[in-house]
Amino acid sequence: MKKLRSLKWFEKDDLRSFGHRSRVNQMGYAPEEYIGKPIIAIINTWNDFNTCHTHFKERVEDIKRGVLQAGGFPMEIPCMSVGEQLIKPTSMMFRNFLAMEVEEMLRAFPVDGAVLMGGCDKTTPAVLMGAISFNLPMIYMPAGAMLRGNFDGEILGSGTDVWKYWDLRQAGCFGDCEWRRLEKGIARSAGTCMTMGTAATMMTMAEALGLCLSGASSIPAVDSNHRRMARECGVEIVRLVREDIKPLDILKKECFENAIITLHAIGGSTNAIIHLIALARRAGIVLELEDFERLGKGIPLLLNLKPSGKYVMEDFYYAGGIQALQNTLKTKLHNIQTIKGDLYGNIEGAKIFNSEVIRTLENPLSTEPSLVVLKGNLCLNGAILKQSACEKRLLKHKGRALVYEDIEELKANIDREDLDVDENTVLVLKNAGPLGAPGMPEWGQLPIPKKLLKKGIKDLLRISDARMSGTSYGACVLHISPESYIGGNLALVRTGDIICIDVEKRLLEVCLSKEELNQRRKEYKPPQRDYSSGYLRLYTEYVTQAHEGCDFDFLTENRSHLEPRIF
């Protein structure tokens, strides 16, 4: 076994090591409990506001059991908790903050390895980004999804069914009493959204990359198997430290290709594209939008989960979970090394127990890639559409633009009865990107105007430089890059312009000549923003565009060699 990193703090017979030992003794620990044993940091992204992680207090204890059983010494390190629902203006703004905190906590303290606790949307990529950058032995423990929702005997999916019933309410088809009952039935336990939203997607991506235990990502949060999985994470991290297996020993380009293939097969969140690009760059691997388009060809949609399908994560687990799905996909996946064994060995013999939930290659939910990358004069660096979750009539469409300069203008006007809009209108939202919002919030599922909902129209082509929740659905073109705030062509679109989309040709354009666009660019002035202080200043000075992963441009290199000086 490689010499333990933690011994740099404790083993010397000098004044500084004396101080370190005496302070650990102060906490009631004896030297034989921790000196010479792998010291394991448990990175806990819990707080009282993070609704997805309410069970993490218990899971910390489960992880500790495993660490102690394997001969390690566990130490909990609470880190920033970026719960999606309540943190404003958007959790995306704080993903990089949490990544920096994880990296610096692992570097600053006498730890030999880490268990990373995450689940709610941005926590998974954030803790992985930080751990990859410092490249210490680690294992990811996914939070797991909450139980299925229930309303008057109907199974509900968080997010997805909220949008559905909100539209019905706006159309006058759903009463206040029903709405309140829905509110009490849609989120019934600890855990993340139980649809294939961003949280479930990124937990699955962590497993597809090989960074968590096989099968862990699909276990429901409150299932007793989840507690056992947490304990096993504690056992395995001690082994990883002793064998000196680090994330950069695991992460190769093939791991990311497996993740992209799996992403298409599960109908995963559009947000995963940004996060996977950021994770790859932390690992020194070039991953571009073209990789998502290339690897999506020939990968059918196999998972019948909301928002693209019918079921929820609990059903996925009982149907065989991620192991069964990947075994079905086996011929299309690389046999990567994971933190515990090779992929093919981990999924061997995994069976589908409900072929309605997990489809086979011979009977997919859809033969088309669930996510597509669009190019054209509106998105020179790319844009994203989740075609599996939108009305087919809008996959090839031409319509008149109705443009909103910012979210405030949209919210103030979208439900006006005299709004000049019909089923062919293309809604456009500007200044919702990494810099323009700032933080690239989940504003991309622009609301259907109330006057159209009353007519039974449920989908429109909607375009923005924002993201949308992975639980959302509809013909929403997202992540337009370059964003409007920095002068991307989206900034130049005006109400009345004609916009055309052809998903088969992967094309998105505004029907304007280069000359007209150039003239409008000369007249363009970005909106005024005050980004002069605090974290907001740091964020807006260094964040990259969507096609680059929205990471800070100074954080893409490996920094494992930057050990603290101990004197």
Side-chain angles (χ1 to χ4, degrees), residues 506-552:
R506 303 299 193 257
L507 184 68
L508 177 69
E509 291 202 326
V510 57
C511 298
L512 296 172
S513 67
K514 290 183 179 179
E515 292 74 19
E516 176 64 20
L517 288 171
N518 288 336
Q519 181 57 41
R520 292 188 187 186
R521 186 170 290 105
K522 293 176 183 177
E523 301 168 5
Y524 174 71
K525 293 181 180 179
Q528 293 297 310
R529 296 281 193 270
D530 181 10
Y531 298 157
S532 60
S533 65
Y535 176 68
L536 188 57
R537 178 175 176 178
L538 175 71
Y539 182 89
T540 53
E541 281 191 12
Y542 296 106
V543 72
T544 60
Q545 288 291 289
H547 72 285
E548 300 169 306
C550 294
D551 201 357
F552 290 154

Side-chain angles (χ1 to χ4, degrees), residues 15-84:
L15 181 61
R16 179 51 57 208
S17 294
F18 170 88
H20 296 157
R21 292 191 299 269
S22 69
R23 291 305 184 179
V24 179
N25 294 342
Q26 177 188 5
M27 293 186 282
Y29 298 115
E32 58 268 26
E33 290 186 75
Y34 62 93
I35 296 178
K37 293 184 177 182
I39 297 180
I40 305 302
I42 303 175
I43 300 296
N44 187 359
T45 53
W46 169 91
N47 73 26
D48 273 332
F49 279 120
N50 193 331
T51 61
C52 299
H53 296 178
T54 55
H55 57 314
F56 273 15
K57 284 184 176 181
E58 298 173 3
R59 294 301 175 270
V60 164
E61 300 307 314
D62 296 325
I63 294 167
K64 286 181 178 179
R65 284 192 295 126
V67 172
L68 291 168
Q69 177 188 342
F73 184 72
M75 295 293 281
E76 179 184 357
I77 301 179
C79 282
M80 185 182 191
S81 191
V82 288
E84 188 70 29

